[in-house]
Structure formats: C-alpha cells, structure tokens
Amino acid sequence: MSEVNRIGFTELASTESAGDQSLGNKRVKYGESLISKSLILTYDSIILVHGLRGHPYNTWASSKKAGNAPAAGSSGWRQKFKSRLKPTTPPSESSSTRQHEVFWPQDYLAKDISKARVWTYGCNADVIGGLFQANNQSSVSVHGRDLEVRFEREIENKVIHPGPKGQNLRVDKNNNQDPVIFLAHSLGGIIVKDVRQERCSPLAGWGEIASNLARVALQDSNNKIVETLEVENEVLDNIHERFVKVVLEYGIRIHSFQEGRGLSGIRGLEQKVVSDFSSRLGLPSKMEKTESIDANHMQMARCDDRSNQSYRCIAGVLKQLLETPNWDTGSPLSAVPQMQPEAALSAKNQGDAPCSTTTPYCIPFQNHRFIGRAKKLEELEEKLIISSHCQKLALVGLGGVGKTQVALQFAYNVKELRPEYSIFWAPAVSPESFEQAYRDIATRCSIKLDPKEEDPKESVRRYLNSDASGKWLLIVDNADDEEILFGKSSDSRSVMDYLPQSENGLTLFTTRHRVMAVSLARNEVVEVDEMDQEEAEMFLKYSLIQKELVHDRENTKELFKELEFLPLAIAQAAAYINQMRISIPEYLSFLRSTEQDTVSLLSREFHDDTRYKNSRNAVAATWLISFDQIRRSEPDAADLLSFMSCIEHKAIPRTILPSVEPAERMMRAMGTLRAYAFVTRRDGGDIYDMHRLVHLATKVWLDKHGDTEALNENVAAHLAEIFPSDDYANQAIWREYFPHALQFLRHTKTLDIEARYDLCFYVGKCLDTDGRVGEAVVWLSQCFLWRRGRYPEDHPFRLASQHELATACRADGRVGEAVELLEKIVAIEKNILVEDHPDRLASQHALAKAYGADGRVKEAIELLERIVAIEKNMLVADNSDRLASQHELAKAYGADGRVGEAIKLLEHVVAIREVLKDDHPDRLSAQHELARAYKANGQVKEAIEMLEHIVAIQEVLREHHPHRLISQHVLAVAYQRNGLVKEAIELLEHVVAIREKVLKKDHPRRLASQHELAVAYQADGRVQDAITLLEHVVATQKRVLREDHPDRVASQSWLLFLQAKQNSERENQTETSRHSSEEGETSSSHGEEGSQSSCEDYGDQREGL
C-alpha cells in the first residue's frame, strides 16, 4: 500500500473508480514538492481533513483484528488517545499491523462512491503551542491559509486530466461546477472554517467553490483537549463568525455528526469532547443537519466494517449530498437563488445585495451577541416559512426571557435568506410607539399619505393588504396590554384594527401574556423559556470584557442558578461585572448577602443597545408594567401575587393561598398569573412555583405602590388561621407549609401583632413533633417571650406557650431549663385548676419526663403513678393520653431497675397501640421502649427482632431525625449485648457521626452515643480508643451535669475501670490481679446498663399530649 502524504493532498484512487483506469491503485500525492502527476479535482471530490495531532492515515484507520471498536473508557482507548498526543510519523508500508488495518476512505468509500474522487489532506497539527493564537506560525489560521493555497493551486493550474477511455479533458476553472465536500474531524473542522473568504482574483477562488461546498463536520471547537494551552478566544470567535457569514451568503450545506458517548476513563475527558451545543452553528434546519453517532470523539472517525454505524451514516450523507442536483438546499431560506458564480460575485463587487434596492426593511436594532435558541428559530421557520402552516404566530414567555431577541434574529435570518420578503417592526408598548412605527413603514415603502386621511396607520394597512406590497413579515413586539391591542371600548380603534390581512403577509407577535397570545394567534403559540446551561455560558462569555471569568465553572453555574438562567438578568450581571471590574464570586456574594442588596442589584439600570431606547432594562423594573396591568384588570390575581411575595417562591400549595370565591374567580386569577408566566403549575397537583426574580420584583413593586404593613398583617392572620395542629395525621400538610410560614416569620421580625406569634406557636409545635427541635425552640421562645410581656402568669395562652417551650427544651437537651419552666407551670396550675383537669395532668406528665431526663427517677415515678391513677378513673383504656402516661411510667420503672413491672405495663400499651398504623410514632415508641425493657431483662434476641423492625420502618425518616437515631442507637447496644460487636460498632459510629454534626457538644444524646461507642470499642479490644472517647465524655459531663447524675456516674465508672484495666495489663500482673479485673468488669455492668437507660432518653417521641 502506497504511502499517504503527511503534508498536503493524497488521492485515494481505486480500480473501481470511474476515470481512474490509467492510474490503477497508485495514490497520487500532492505535498510541498512539485506535483508528481497531472491531475485535477474535476469530478465530485471528497476531502478528508484530520484533527489535532492527527494524521491523514492514522485518524481514519482502524484495526480489523480488533473487531468492533472497544468501549469508551477501556485501557486500549486510553493508550490510543495518549499515542495521538505524540507527534506522528507517516506509516510504513511494511508495518506488520498494516495488514490488519482498515483504511475505510480507500477500502470502502472510494469504491462505494465511485463517481467521486476521495482525497486526504494532511497538515502539521502536531505543534499545538500557539495553535489558538493570532500571529503565530503554528496557528489554526496558518493551517487554513495553507489549505486554501494548495486547494486553489490544484484548481487554477488548468492541468490536463486523463479522462475516461483515454481522452484528455482540459477543465476550465470558470466552468467547473463539480461539488467539493470536506469531511473534517475534530480540529480539521476549524481549519476548514478558517479558509479566508476574501479573494484578489475576481473569478479564481472561493466564491465559485463555496456556492457548491458542503461540509460533513465532526468538529472540535471545545478546548478540553488543549486546556493547558494559551487560547485567544477571539481567534476562534472570529473564525466562527466569518464562516457563518460565508455559509449564509452562499447557501453552504452543513451536516454535523455529534458524539454519542464521552471519553470516560481519560482524565479531563469524562464527557463529550465536543458538546451537542458546540457542534452546531445554529442555522436554519434546511441548511444545517445534525445527528448522533454511537461512538466517542475518536471512535467516530474509524470504521472497521461497512456495517459500522459511523460508516453507514457518513457514506449515506455523502451520497445524499452528491445526488442533490446543483446542491440546492431545497429550502425557502436558501441564500442566493441558484445564480451563476459570475452573477453572484458581480453583485457582491458592486456592493449591492440582491433586491436591496426594492425590498424595504424596518428593523430597529440587531443583537450581535445573540446565542443559541436554534430550536425556537427552526420552529418559527418551519411554521411561517417552510410549511406555510400559519400566517400569524405568537412568541410568549416571561418578561426578560428573550422573546424580542428571538424575533429579531428571526427577522435577520429572513432578511439574509429570503430577500423577497419586506420586514417591518412595530412595538405595541403604547399607541404612540405603534403609530410611529407605521409612519416609518410609510416612509420606507414610499406610501403616499392622503392629506385628508386622519390616521396614517390606515394608509399603511391598505398598502400591506394590496398586491403592490409583495411578500412581507410584520413583527408586533410587546403585545401585552389588552387596552392598547383591543381598545378600551367598542367605539375606539386599536392596534388590531390596523393589522393587515393578506395572503402575502406573515405576522409574528411577542407577548408576556398567554391570554393575549391565544387571542392574537389562536393555537399558533411558541413558548420561549429560559436559557440552558450552555447557552447561558456562551451568552455570558460574549457579554463580558474579561471572558476568562467564565472559566470559573462552579461559580458560573451558581450564578446562573441564582439568576434562574434569565437572559436579561445575565446581561445585567455582565454589565455590572464589566463596570465594577469584579469577579463572578464577588457578584454572587452581593447577590446572596441580603434581600436588600439583591433588590438593589436587580434594580440597577444598565445600557443595552439591543433594547429600546429609554426602556427600563433592570430586571426588577422589567415586570412593573405587567404588575400594574394585572392590578387594573385582575385585582384578585394582584392580591394573590402580593400574598405569594411574602412566602417561599417554590412549591406553593394551592391550599395555603387565600380563598377567592366563587371558584371560577380563583381559577381566573391563577390563570392570569400563569398566563404572564409569573407562576407555573407543577404536573400532577395544585402546587405552584413562582419565578425567584419575579418574587423579588414583586416586593419592589409593593414597596412603591402598596401598603406592606397591612399586607403582612393579613398574611400573618391567614397563615395562623390555616396552619394545622401537631397531630400526626397532619404531617404531610405541615411539611408543605413549613417553608412558607418560616419564610414569612424570618422576614417579619418587627411585625408586633398577636397573629404572628400565634403562628410562631403552631409552627414551633409542629417542628418539635417533626423532630426539628432546635428550630422549634427558636419559634416557641419568640412566642413565649411575646406572651409573657402581655399576659399575666396564669393566662392560658402564656401557660400553653411556656409548656411547649419546656417540652422542646427537654428534647433539645436543655433539661435544666425544661424542669424550671415546668415546675413553675405545675405550681401555678395547682392553685387555679382542679386535680383532674387535662391541662394540669399534661403539665405534670411533661415535668415527670423532664425529671426522668434529669436522672431524678424517683420523683418522676411519684408524679406518674399519681397521673395514671387519676386517668384510670376518668379515661377509657385506649385513650391516647392514658396510654402515654402508662408508657412513661413503664420507662421510669425500667430506669429504676424495676424491669418486670416495666415489661408488664409496656406489653399492655403495645397491645392497644397495635390498632395504629405500622409507622405511627406512638406505636413505634411503645415497641421501642418494650424492646429496651426486653434487653435489660436479658431477652436480647426478642429486643433485636423488635428493634430491627422499628429501624426498617423508620428508614423513611430523614437520616438525622431524632427518632431514627435513637432506634439505631438502642439496636447497636442490643447487638453488643448479643456479642455482635462489629455490627454494634458500625451502627454506633454512624449514629455518633451524624449526632456530632447536628447536636451540640454537651447534648445528652450525643454524649450517650459516644459513651456506648466507647463500651463497644472496649468489647472489641480497642481499649485506648475507648479511654480517649470516655475522657471526652466525662470532661463534658462535668461541665453540664450535677455530680450525682446517673449518666455522669456511669461514664466515670467505665473510665476508671478501663484505665485500671489498661494499667493492669501494662504491668503484667498476676492471675489474681487479672481475676480482680474481671470482677471489676462484672461490678461495672450495672453502670453500663444504667448509662444506657438514663442517657438514651426516648422521651421526645410524641405520646398524644
């Protein structure tokens, strides 16, 4: 097999290729030296251009021996990729591996497409330093120039080609219409792009070739491969922009194959080398096609069999392109209607675009930073131009989402690609702006206005309705105001009265209001959404002066999340960053600091020449007009919008909103907010989301136009009225309401009304029941302090808030505070309530639980036995309060060593609780306590079985939920007692790790878990680990517990025992000493169990009180 030329052209001839009889299989090479054979690109030509550090043979060759390409990420591919990053040398004909390789451009393509000539082009892309820099000898631009020069030389030399049947064919460059296809891989796509478009010779170059050019591009403008290089982005940007211009001017067709897989397993290339977004130019669908190949960046260029997907796709597209007569795109948006090259070049040289003197345009401005939105533009093109599916269409979306920019880009696409269309632009912001636009249209179209005609808009409408106007596209921008569009009354004329109706015309509306969109265009509505990640990143990059700022990917992603991918917000952020010369993290810190700072940033005006002069460009201001329109036309919707601005903007339940009666009014009000895209409804339920920036802008609007104090009072009263009780049955409701109530409470600290503190009370109780005890203490404290300052000490409201605060404090480990608060309540209620009053019994019950947590077990038992006796005479056997008291008394019996009595009472409670659902907290709590009693009684297997059942059910709870951690703790202790030490350690280490994150250092439960983990370490022979942990526990308990507290005593006993044991082992004492040590261990076992029973309090489980 002949050598493939490393630099320049090599023809891959075949005996089966038409016109090659005289050449046989010999490859004809074009390099730096003279041409070795007289040959010219006369027939259809396919030129393959390799990529970065590629080779005109190696890039396309694959190993037949290896069969199908290995999976992405395999070690074979890792080695191949590394080899490609080393300078390559031309392959040798004698290479042993060549026998097993398939060079598909020669072996398959040249035979399967016999009418075409297949070529490789090689360039020295090994020197990657300076590749993406201007004025560098190794730059992409130099490679592009070299390709251009060599390409033109072979066409312009007029060399004689030995044609079929021995005839000599002289080909005149002026008449050569044979198409040329560039098949480029990776960097090769950029080199092809960078072939210059300017020519000195009038007929010799690119203008003639480009009119027939197609490029099947597997392109790589992504710089992941060369991320260590110095890259001047302007070089790539300029190449891209010039290429797009020539593509549009000459109607070049493009087909891009996208990578179906990433290069996993290669550091830095875990994803696609070229993203789907980067592989597109964003042209109309008839000019640019894309499809995916199930291969990675390297595999897609190698085909070892005709059945390979890559080969079938590439060959199929090439055949399709070659069989298309005259390379007509077939699109109504084709650039220059199939004119001869001379005519096209002549028009260009004269400086006149076709039809430019006869086709009027009225377009206000152009956005040269326009990015993405390819699918939306394709949809507009398909519906309005290609299929003529409709004559009216509306773009609808949130203000600032980019509707006007999409419409502008579509207008310029039509201007460039359909010059027979006149294009007119009419903003409907006000009657005055619409009339001025029509006056401009009259001037551009040389419409003679009748001096007697009172309204020039009527003259324009009549003209556009006539055949004399030709084909036209009218864009009515900002069609939002119902009064402007349809008039205040039936007697007054409006914008709709002056819109033309003609078979030759198309009308495109942009509006924020979905109801307007449907009214204007019926069902022909296209929704414009926020940008995606890639679009947002490109837009920010083009908008920034310091473009390297976007290389901070993590902070850039965070910025887009904060701005919710809204183009106007991104533009505003870029303007601020440019003006202040700050970084993206600095802007983020301002945006996140306080709500006041955020509002200030979003309210800052900035200049934008892609928006109307004198328009308000700040994000916070862009929706104010819409807010005012809603307040005028739909007061109910304005009220709901105001209410939602006071709560969390995400996951808003319909049930939390103020009721609007009748139901039809409520439906219409929510429909209005959805029509403006201010809120969106989640699928499958009445849950709504409000755009975060709209949420902030609404506050700005209310501060300027509304009574925020009255609004906050109404919201507080409504939330306090509808917030549910802490009954377990309401759990789903309070969890839905938590974010909204908490958002309101955090932002109304100065609101001094009773409704706010009633809400604090209800929220605090539910947080406590839900296991969020720390937060519960915060809000219950606020409620108690407010009520203490306004009510006497025996007022029911004050006592209720004091009781709930004490309960939350006990659960939060603040046992001393709980006892103090509850003792005061019990003393007061003793004087004002009868002995069997439910409130008095509840307070005594809570005090007994606090005594138990404080190690005052005898006092707890005394209180609880009196409560149980009273409730026995007044409550039925299955009453929840009665069972709760029995449960708590049994727990106290267990702590006092009266295990048999505890088991008897708990088995009774568990039996009755079985009527509850399996996951009901009261049922699980009773089972949990019974399992602890079984463990203390030596029935360890029964305890483990019951605890494993509880732990399995509680897996639905949050990982750090107190109930779940308590059950895991007790199960671990049971494992240790049963000899399963490894399992015990694993579970306890998990519990300790979580509790160290969520609980204070001196929290009783945190210390209890550390204590039991130390005991488990000792059982596992890790005595030093156990001592270290116990030393920490004992030191902490000395600060927070009294000297005789059972937990402190137990931990000190264990520590002394282990220290003595360690000293004894070090001194290698006698057998008698070791026997004494074992006796010490036996004597300490009661302390261990006492630690567990007193340290690990399960009392924060709700028992119906």
Side-chain angles (χ1 to χ4, degrees):
M1 185 175 286
S2 301
E3 179 183 325
V4 175
N5 209 51
R6 180 68 180 86
I7 304 296
F9 290 104
T10 303
E11 186 188 10
L12 308 179
S14 169
T15 54
E16 300 178 32
S17 299
D20 285 347
Q21 289 88 338
S22 61
L23 295 177
N25 270 333
K26 185 175 180 61
R27 289 190 175 90
V28 185
K29 299 168 288 182
Y30 295 86
E32 300 293 348
S33 58
L34 294 176
I35 301 172
S36 59
K37 291 285 182 181
S38 294
L39 194 66
I40 190 168
L41 306 172
T42 51
Y43 296 136
D44 301 345
S45 296
I46 301 170
I47 302 174
L48 289 82
V49 183
H50 64 77
L52 176 66
R53 292 205 165 185
H55 184 276
Y57 179 89
N58 294 344
T59 294
W60 316 101
S62 64
S63 173
K64 186 71 172 180
K65 186 176 182 180
N68 293 331
S74 68
S75 59
W77 274 112
R78 184 190 299 273
Q79 189 61 37
K80 286 187 178 183
F81 182 80
K82 288 181 178 179
S83 70
R84 288 195 55 170
L85 296 182
K86 299 178 182 178
T88 55
T89 55
S92 169
E93 186 71 40
S94 62
S95 172
S96 61
T97 59
R98 179 66 62 84
Q99 303 171 21
H100 303 293
E101 288 180 329
V102 172
F103 185 45
W104 63 267
Q106 160 80 17
D107 299 333
Y108 299 153
L109 194 65
K111 299 175 183 179
D112 293 345
I113 307 181
S114 57
K115 63 179 282 188
R117 307 179 71 92
V118 181
W119 307 74
T120 62
Y121 178 79
C123 61
N124 184 15
D126 292 338
V127 184
I128 62 176
L131 192 63
F132 299 104
Q133 293 177 265
N135 303 319
N136 190 292
Q137 293 300 314
S138 302
S139 71
V140 173
S141 296
V142 172
H143 289 307
R145 181 198 63 195
D146 292 345
L147 172 58
E148 169 196 349
V149 170
R150 291 169 184 145
F151 188 78
E152 288 185 346
R153 181 173 65 230
E154 308 313 325
I155 292 179
E156 294 180 21
N157 280 344
K158 298 183 181 180
V159 293
I160 299 176
H161 164 70
K165 300 181 181 180
Q167 299 176 353
N168 289 338
L169 300 179
R170 179 174 293 276
V171 181
D172 189 336
K173 63 188 177 183
N174 294 336
N175 294 321
N176 179 19
Q177 295 296 307
D178 299 319
V180 177
I181 304 172
F182 280 93
L183 178 62
H185 176 249
S186 191
L187 177 73
I190 302 178
I191 294 173
V192 173
K193 277 185 177 182
D194 200 43
V195 175
R196 291 179 298 164
Q197 287 87 45
E198 300 296 331
R199 294 292 174 269
C200 298
S201 176
L203 296 176
W206 198 245
E208 179 178 350
I209 299 168
S211 64
N212 290 329
L213 177 67
R215 171 169 153 269
V216 181
L218 299 92
Q219 42 191 318
D220 179 10
S221 57
N222 185 301
N223 66 354
K224 283 187 179 179
I225 287 183
V226 290
E227 61 187 357
T228 59
L229 300 180
E230 183 181 355
V231 179
E232 292 180 13
N233 291 322
E234 286 190 25
V235 173
L236 296 175
D237 293 343
N238 292 338
I239 291 171
H240 178 79
E241 289 177 8
R242 290 200 307 267
F243 184 70
V244 170
K245 286 181 181 179
V246 78
V247 166
L248 291 172
E249 184 173 359
Y250 294 107
I252 298 173
R253 297 176 65 191
I254 294 176
H255 196 108
S256 295
F257 291 106
Q258 299 174 337
E259 305 162 28
R261 304 182 193 173
L263 277 169
S264 59
I266 299 177
R267 181 173 298 179
L269 289 174
E270 288 78 13
Q271 304 300 323
K272 296 181 182 180
V273 176
V274 186
S275 67
D276 292 348
F277 177 81
S278 300
S279 68
R280 293 183 53 87
L281 293 177
L283 296 172
S285 59
K286 292 299 181 180
M287 298 188 69
E288 179 181 24
K289 298 288 187 183
T290 59
E291 66 176 293
S292 175
I293 288 180
D294 186 25
N296 64 32
H297 185 74
M298 294 157 59
Q299 292 170 350
M300 66 194 311
R302 296 187 171 108
C303 312
D304 59 7
D305 194 275
R306 278 187 170 90
S307 63
N308 182 284
Q309 188 211 12
S310 295
Y311 181 74
R312 286 188 286 110
C313 290
I314 294 170
V317 170
L318 291 172
K319 290 178 182 179
Q320 184 182 46
L321 295 175
L322 290 169
E323 291 169 2
T324 303
N326 297 322
W327 291 72
D328 182 7
T329 64
S331 168
L333 291 178
S334 57
V336 180
Q338 300 311 304
M339 58 170 57
Q340 292 296 319
E342 297 90 338
L345 188 57
S346 174
K348 182 177 180 181
N349 289 340
Q350 293 170 10
D352 297 325
C355 305
S356 62
T357 58
T358 59
T359 307
Y361 302 108
C362 290
I363 311 177
F365 35 73
Q366 186 169 11
N367 184 0
H368 294 286
R369 298 194 308 273
F370 184 83
I371 289 296
R373 309 295 194 169
K375 291 183 179 179
K376 298 300 177 187
L377 291 170
E378 288 176 8
E379 190 172 357
L380 294 180
E381 174 194 347
E382 175 64 31
K383 289 188 172 184
L384 289 173
I385 304 294
I386 297 175
S387 65
S388 300
H389 182 72
C390 58
Q391 288 187 286
K392 291 182 179 180
L393 187 144
L395 286 174
V396 65
L398 182 67
V401 82
K403 302 178 298 296
T404 296
Q405 304 306 322
V406 172
L408 272 172
Q409 187 63 30
F410 180 67
Y412 276 98
N413 283 355
V414 175
K415 180 177 181 291
E416 291 286 337
L417 306 174
R418 288 299 297 266
E420 68 272 22
Y421 273 81
S422 300
I423 303 174
F424 307 116
W425 190 279
V429 178
S430 65
E432 293 76 18
S433 66
F434 186 77
E435 179 168 341
Q436 183 58 52
Y438 263 46
R439 288 185 180 276
D440 292 342
I441 294 172
T443 301
R444 290 294 181 93
C445 296
S446 302
I447 301 173
K448 293 182 179 181
L449 298 178
D450 189 345
K452 298 179 181 180
E453 180 69 62
E454 294 182 1
D455 193 344
K457 299 190 292 294
E458 181 60 29
S459 298
V460 173
R461 186 189 70 83
R462 284 200 301 265
Y463 171 76
L464 293 179
N465 279 342
S466 69
D467 292 338
S469 64
K471 293 185 176 182
W472 50 263
L473 168 65
L474 172 63
I475 298 173
V476 182
D477 192 29
N478 290 327
D480 303 319
D481 194 302
E482 185 176 10
E483 290 185 358
I484 295 174
L485 290 171
F486 299 102
K488 295 182 180 180
S489 65
S490 57
D491 298 333
S492 60
R493 300 198 70 180
S494 63
V495 165
M496 291 300 294
D497 295 317
Y498 297 108
L499 294 182
Q501 302 278 350
S502 170
E503 292 183 358
N504 293 326
L506 304 171
T507 305
L508 175 63
F509 301 94
T510 73
T511 179
R512 303 176 180 189
H513 197 335
R514 189 174 184 83
V515 173
M516 291 296 102
V518 174
S519 298
L520 295 167
R522 297 184 181 275
N523 63 329
E524 300 300 339
V525 175
V526 173
E527 294 189 17
V528 181
D529 302 315
E530 293 81 358
M531 287 180 160
D532 60 29
Q533 176 69 36
E534 290 179 301
E535 289 174 332
E537 191 171 313
M538 291 294 290
F539 180 52
L540 178 62
K541 180 181 125 178
Y542 283 175
S543 302
L544 288 174
I545 295 174
Q546 297 174 281
K547 302 187 184 302
E548 66 275 9
L549 293 179
V550 299
H551 295 164
D552 184 354
R553 294 296 178 84
E554 289 304 316
N555 280 305
T556 300
K557 287 181 180 178
E558 289 300 312
L559 176 64
F560 295 149
K561 288 179 182 177
E562 290 291 328
L563 301 179
E564 302 228 356
F565 295 89
L566 193 71
L568 181 60
I570 296 171
Q572 184 178 19
Y576 189 88
I577 291 170
N578 288 337
Q579 292 167 4
M580 300 293 111
R581 299 185 68 181
I582 62 174
S583 65
I584 291 175
E586 287 175 307
Y587 187 86
L588 263 176
S589 68
F590 294 149
L591 200 60
R592 290 170 168 172
S593 55
T594 65
E595 187 173 283
Q596 185 177 359
D597 286 335
T598 305
V599 169
S600 176
L601 274 179
L602 298 179
S603 301
R604 186 183 179 93
E605 290 290 343
F606 68 100
H607 174 70
D608 189 346
D609 57 10
T610 67
R611 292 168 64 84
Y612 294 111
K613 187 178 180 181
N614 299 324
S615 67
R616 304 185 69 180
N617 299 326
V619 174
T622 192
W623 298 299
L624 297 186
I625 295 175
S626 299
F627 294 157
D628 288 335
Q629 290 171 349
I630 292 173
R631 185 169 58 177
R632 290 195 309 268
S633 61
E634 287 288 347
D636 291 336
D639 290 343
L640 290 174
L641 185 67
S642 300
F643 179 88
M644 285 188 276
S645 73
C646 298
I647 60 177
E648 179 63 27
H649 69 285
K650 291 288 186 184
I652 303 172
R654 163 66 186 83
T655 54
I656 205 173
L657 299 176
S659 179
V660 178
E661 299 294 341
E664 190 276 332
R665 278 179 57 195
M666 182 68 179
M667 183 177 65
R668 188 169 67 246
M670 290 303 297
T672 297
L673 298 180
R674 293 174 62 193
Y676 276 97
F678 290 160
V679 300
T680 56
R681 182 177 178 176
R682 294 189 181 182
D683 294 336
D686 283 344
I687 302 292
Y688 298 90
D689 293 318
M690 189 177 186
H691 198 287
R692 176 177 174 271
L693 301 184
V694 173
H695 190 259
L696 289 170
T698 308
K699 296 189 177 205
V700 175
W701 174 62
L702 290 170
D703 286 342
K704 292 182 178 180
H705 303 288
D707 186 347
T708 53
E709 185 175 354
L711 172 64
N712 285 333
E713 290 177 0
N714 292 334
V715 173
H718 175 72
L719 290 177
E721 181 182 356
I722 58 101
F723 206 90
S725 72
D726 62 338
D727 188 281
Y728 171 73
N730 297 323
Q731 184 185 64
I733 301 174
W734 77 55
R735 286 184 174 177
E736 277 190 341
Y737 287 8
F738 274 154
H740 308 289
L742 293 173
Q743 169 80 359
F744 174 75
L745 290 174
R746 292 188 192 106
H747 288 84
T748 56
K749 294 178 181 178
T750 60
L751 185 63
D752 190 24
I753 62 172
E754 186 169 16
R756 180 186 185 275
Y757 294 96
D758 288 347
L759 181 61
C760 288
F761 179 76
Y762 301 133
V763 169
K765 287 184 64 177
C766 292
L767 285 169
D768 185 19
T769 305
D770 207 40
R772 297 164 62 175
V773 292
E775 296 172 85
V777 169
V778 171
W779 301 112
L780 289 169
S781 295
Q782 285 195 25
C783 177
F784 171 63
L785 291 173
W786 190 88
R787 289 181 176 180
R788 187 177 67 178
R790 286 158 181 79
Y791 297 116
E793 67 176 9
D794 59 353
H795 193 284
F797 287 179
R798 176 172 170 176
L799 290 172
S801 60
Q802 189 171 343
H803 176 108
E804 293 300 332
L805 175 59
T807 301
C809 284
R810 180 192 55 77
D812 197 38
R814 298 156 64 172
V815 180
E817 297 173 62
V819 169
E820 183 180 356
L821 287 169
L822 287 165
E823 284 180 335
K824 289 180 180 179
I825 296 172
V826 169
I828 292 170
E829 291 179 339
K830 183 178 181 180
N831 297 323
I832 62 173
L833 299 177
V834 295
E835 186 180 48
D836 60 354
H837 192 285
D839 290 350
R840 182 175 175 182
L841 292 174
S843 300
Q844 291 172 341
H845 177 105
L847 178 58
K849 291 179 72 173
Y851 281 158
D854 198 34
R856 298 160 65 176
V857 180
K858 300 295 184 183
E859 295 169 86
I861 290 174
E862 182 181 352
L863 262 179
L864 287 165
E865 285 180 336
R866 184 165 63 247
I867 294 169
V868 168
I870 293 172
E871 291 178 339
K872 182 178 181 181
N873 297 324
M874 57 180 287
L875 300 176
V876 295
D878 61 352
N879 179 270
S880 182
D881 291 349
R882 181 177 174 183
L883 292 171
S885 300
Q886 292 170 339
H887 173 113
E888 201 60 40
L889 177 58
K891 185 196 294 188
Y893 283 159
D896 197 38
R898 299 159 63 178
V899 179
E901 294 173 81
I903 290 175
K904 182 179 179 181
L905 197 51
L906 284 167
E907 286 178 337
H908 164 74
V909 173
V910 167
I912 296 177
R913 293 287 199 197
E914 286 182 354
V915 299
L916 302 176
K917 292 193 299 184
D918 286 349
D919 60 349
H920 195 288
D922 292 348
R923 178 173 179 177
L924 292 175
S925 177
Q927 292 172 337
H928 171 100
E929 203 56 50
L930 178 58
R932 287 183 61 188
Y934 282 157
K935 175 176 65 66
N937 199 41
Q939 299 171 254
V940 181
K941 290 184 179 179
E942 291 90 335
I944 289 176
E945 182 180 354
M946 190 171 286
L947 286 166
E948 285 179 336
H949 165 75
I950 294 169
V951 167
I953 291 177
Q954 289 177 334
E955 285 183 357
V956 299
L957 300 177
R958 299 186 307 276
E959 185 181 50
H960 59 277
H961 194 287
H963 300 179
R964 182 174 178 182
L965 291 173
I966 290 168
S967 299
Q968 290 172 338
H969 173 110
V970 178
L971 176 59
V973 174
Y975 280 156
Q976 191 216 329
R977 302 294 189 274
N978 201 38
L980 302 171
V981 179
K982 299 294 185 184
E983 291 86 342
I985 290 175
E986 181 181 0
L987 196 49
L988 281 168
E989 285 179 336
H990 166 75
V991 173
V992 166
I994 295 177
R995 283 180 167 174
E996 286 178 350
K997 291 179 182 178
V998 301
L999 300 179
K1000 293 178 296 184
K1001 289 184 178 181
D1002 59 357
H1003 195 288
R1005 289 204 184 97
R1006 177 171 173 175
L1007 295 171
S1009 295
Q1010 291 170 335
H1011 172 105
E1012 286 300 338
L1013 179 58
V1015 173
Y1017 282 158
Q1018 182 273 333
D1020 196 39
R1022 298 164 59 180
V1023 177
Q1024 185 56 53
D1025 291 339
I1027 290 174
T1028 301
L1029 196 51
L1030 280 171
E1031 285 175 339
H1032 162 75
V1033 172
V1034 169
T1036 305
Q1037 288 174 335
K1038 281 182 179 180
R1039 290 189 291 103
V1040 297
L1041 298 180
R1042 65 182 188 277
E1043 190 173 352
D1044 63 343
H1045 194 286
D1047 294 356
R1048 181 175 171 182
V1049 171
S1051 298
Q1052 287 174 332
S1053 298
W1054 264 102
L1055 179 59
L1056 290 172
F1057 160 67
L1058 291 178
Q1059 288 172 336
K1061 182 178 181 180
Q1062 187 181 58
N1063 292 334
S1064 153
E1065 290 175 351
R1066 285 176 179 173
E1067 295 171 1
N1068 194 20
Q1069 292 181 338
T1070 62
E1071 183 65 22
T1072 304
S1073 298
R1074 286 196 296 273
H1075 178 68
S1076 175
S1077 173
E1078 291 172 1
E1079 289 179 349
E1081 180 176 356
T1082 304
S1083 65
S1084 297
S1085 63
H1086 175 73
E1088 171 188 350
E1089 188 60 47
S1091 167
Q1092 169 56 25
S1093 61
S1094 57
C1095 283
E1096 187 51 55
D1097 175 28
Y1098 201 79
D1100 77 325
Q1101 288 275 21
R1102 301 302 294 190
E1103 297 297 344
L1105 295 180

